[in-house]
Amino acid sequence: MGWSAGPQASWVAEANRGERPEFRPTPGPFNAASLIEDALARAHASSDFVAVEFASDDFVEPLSIFCDALETTARLTHLGRWATQRYLTRLLDVRLELEAHEAANPELSNEAIVKPIFVIGPPRSGTTVLHRHLGAVAGHRVSRGWEFTRPLPPPDPETHDDDPRIHQTTEELEFPQAVASGLRSIHTYSAQMPKECLSAMSFAARTEEFISRYNVPAYVDWLQACDMSPAYAMHRRVLRVLQQRMPPARWVLKSPVHLQAVPTLVATYPDASFVVTHREPAEFLASVSSLVATLRSAFSSSVDAVAIGRYHQALYQRSLNTLVDHVDRNVLPPDRTAHVSFKDLVADMPATVAAICERIGVNTSVSRQSSSIVAKEVREDAAGAHKYQPSDFGLDNADISRSFDRYRTRFID
């Protein structure tokens, strides 16, 4: 039968027919120059106006390629176009806010990100639950959805838990779940849940967040060949802002995208520690492909599930086999890197987390109370059954086994 999007609510069909005025997109194509001009006009009209510009051309090129791909290959629905306009408006507005804030606060350049912990590994391999467990350790901090979406003004300890941006971000992050039937069963997004690093990297327009939401092959080709240093510099800039007013804490950060740029990640955070999760590729490829196909269905009426599956197989074949080289060459510092099997996580989470803490020099374990909070979050992140078949995405387990031979021999077998 193959993969197909689930049934959608009646309001979605009405919006895509243009019958819901509240979801009416602005006329005209996506164009980087126009988006930037509009963002500058909004900044200049603001009561908090500071004379700023987009800092460098390294932002304009990827944004232009992405916008062109939105028009030529993404096949957006009426509702998808409306949501994407709002998404890009936020990205550009926050980018300008960052430029203005840094210009007004030059001391930010001296704000140190001290010994962060990065959870990296293929998707659906336990990175999310480990991120939450390690983030629950006293003295640690994870990035929340609203923080990586709207980092300015810098969070304040007195208002952090009821910041008005939480509500703003909830509307945006929960939109795909309302449109795409079944998305919540695969992965829940919310303003208060920990957020992946790729959202902070989006302010540099160099991010797999674009690829997850849209069919943009021209942008994929560009991203895979580009220098990712500006994306990681932006990531660091966002962290500096987020910790500017908050009590000192050790960041715990997470995203499978780091597998595609391990040397750049290490160069950006030379004192970081790393937790690398491992899972049989045949078990995670169909799952992540199902996630992306379902997410794209919130924005487009045409989703090529087989192309998505093949993209992920090629992407992770390259990055996981290359991971073997990074480990052999000590690109990941051996004394600050823990490798974790997904099977061990499932079999005994507390013991596995304790072993990780010991390996990377964390001197405290997760408290009983924090463990219960994490367990509740995980239950909420798996509402309903996630059903899929590898064949729905053009995946063959025997072929996967062969193509990941180096990785499997080193970390799985």
Side-chain angles (χ1 to χ4, degrees), residues 60-80:
V60 178
E61 181 184 7
L63 181 64
S64 298
I65 294 169
F66 177 58
C67 285
D68 290 345
L70 285 174
E71 292 299 334
T72 57
T73 58
R75 300 187 68 176
L76 298 174
T77 61
H78 200 76
L79 191 57

Side-chain angles (χ1 to χ4, degrees), residues 134-316:
L134 292 172
V137 173
H140 287 186
R141 179 184 176 187
V142 297
S143 51
R144 300 293 172 181
W146 68 271
E147 293 178 313
F148 264 5
T149 305
R150 300 177 184 273
L152 284 164
D156 187 297
E158 294 186 5
T159 59
H160 184 268
D161 293 337
D162 56 1
D163 192 288
R165 285 168 288 180
I166 296 172
H167 176 69
Q168 288 179 290
T169 306
T170 296
E171 291 183 345
E172 178 180 336
L173 295 183
E174 293 189 355
F175 169 81
Q177 297 170 145
V179 177
S181 174
L183 183 58
R184 190 179 296 273
S185 298
I186 307 173
H187 188 74
T188 300
Y189 302 87
S190 81
Q192 288 283 47
M193 284 184 173
K195 196 80 168 72
E196 289 196 16
C197 297
L198 79 172
S199 294
M201 297 159 79
S202 296
F203 300 121
R206 301 180 185 222
T207 175
E208 287 188 28
E209 188 167 71
F210 293 174
I211 299 169
S212 297
R213 295 181 179 211
Y214 309 101
N215 177 38
V216 286
Y219 179 81
V220 170
D221 292 342
W222 184 90
L223 187 70
Q224 291 182 345
C226 80
D227 175 13
M228 287 297 290
S229 297
Y232 281 93
M234 175 59 69
H235 183 271
R236 192 178 187 95
R237 291 168 69 183
V238 171
L239 291 184
R240 284 171 169 166
V241 168
L242 290 177
Q243 71 179 32
Q244 188 178 8
R245 297 175 184 168
M246 296 292 288
R250 186 179 187 181
W251 284 104
V252 181
L253 303 146
K254 169 254 183 178
S255 186
V257 303
H258 297 311
L259 289 173
Q260 278 68 261
V262 169
T264 307
L265 172 64
V266 175
T268 305
Y269 298 100
D271 63 346
S273 295
F274 305 91
V275 181
V276 188
T277 58
H278 300 285
R279 188 178 185 184
E280 179 66 61
E283 295 176 1
F284 75 75
L285 283 173
S287 181
V288 68
S289 297
S290 176
L291 167 61
V292 169
T294 306
L295 179 58
R296 286 190 188 177
S297 73
F299 304 95
S300 174
S301 60
S302 177
V303 177
D304 188 337
V306 171
I308 290 171
R310 290 173 178 168
Y311 163 75
H312 284 118
Q313 180 169 348
L315 177 71
Y316 288 105

Side-chain angles (χ1 to χ4, degrees), residues 128-136 142-144 184 187-195 369-383:
T128 296
V129 70
L130 267 180
H131 186 207
R132 292 172 180 173
H133 271 285
L134 292 172
V142 297
S143 51
R144 300 293 172 181
R184 190 179 296 273
H187 188 74
T188 300
Y189 302 87
S190 81
Q192 288 283 47
M193 284 184 173
K195 196 80 168 72
Q369 179 181 5
S370 296
S371 293
S372 66
I373 293 172
V374 170
K376 179 178 183 293
E377 288 180 341
V378 171
R379 285 195 300 273
E380 292 175 348
D381 202 14

Side-chain angles (χ1 to χ4, degrees), residues 8 11-20 77-80 179 298:
Q8 294 182 325
W11 71 267
V12 175
E14 293 167 0
N16 284 330
R17 291 194 300 266
E19 298 170 359
R20 301 289 292 262
T77 61
H78 200 76
L79 191 57
V179 177

